[in-house]
Amino acid sequence: QVQLVESGGGSVHTGGSLTLSCAASGITYSNVCMGWFRQAPGKEREGVATIDSDGDTTYAASVKGRFTISQGNAKNTVYLQMNSLKPEDTAMYYCAIDRAYSCGYFYTTPPNLFDAWGQGTLVTVSS
């Protein structure tokens, strides 16, 4: 059974930086897409960034140029480096994993079809 454990959330001021981590265990397949969603209070879930087994990445327009998604050497850990944080980045951040050759449908995949979700980590950005 795949499990994801997140860490790294916290509180920063506008312009600050945080790095989120998502460690996966129990993966028995080689082609995966891992990524991050976020959800702010009263708002819809929003896809943030993805990375596939080849290291190809995608970003939401709202974070492009400020956030960087990367993999650890063993590819079972994904990081989200968040720079130039804004108050509108405040949300609960969740990582998710999908058994897929690419991340083309990651943002639109129904939540129950992912192989696993992290527990969520809160990011708060104050002005």
Side-chain angles (χ1 to χ4, degrees):
Q1 183 177 358
V2 179
Q3 290 187 318
L4 302 178
V5 177
E6 302 170 21
S7 60
S11 297
V12 297
H13 291 292
T14 298
S17 298
L18 285 171
T19 301
L20 307 183
S21 300
C22 176
S25 61
I27 298 176
T28 59
Y29 38 87
S30 56
N31 295 304
V32 298
C33 174
M34 292 183 71
W36 295 88
F37 289 90
R38 66 185 182 186
Q39 189 162 21
K43 294 192 175 181
E44 296 284 322
R45 182 188 70 166
E46 176 187 18
V48 176
T50 68
I51 187 165
D52 66 19
S53 298
D54 291 331
D56 294 328
T57 60
T58 70
Y59 295 95
S62 58
V63 306
K64 200 165 188 177
R66 299 188 297 121
F67 290 12
T68 303
I69 189 170
S70 62
Q71 295 171 331
N73 288 336
K75 296 189 177 181
N76 63 343
T77 300
V78 172
Y79 303 96
L80 186 69
Q81 173 68 44
M82 305 184 295
N83 298 326
S84 302
L85 283 162
K86 306 174 182 179
E88 51 263 44
D89 295 317
T90 295
M92 188 71 79
Y93 284 70
Y94 299 91
C95 69
I97 185 168
D98 186 23
R99 185 187 313 196
Y101 288 97
S102 75
C103 296
Y105 296 100
F106 192 88
Y107 296 140
T108 56
T109 296
N112 62 307
L113 295 184
F114 284 92
D115 286 3
W117 286 88
Q119 79 279 11
T121 187
L122 181 63
V123 172
T124 304
V125 185
S126 57
S127 57

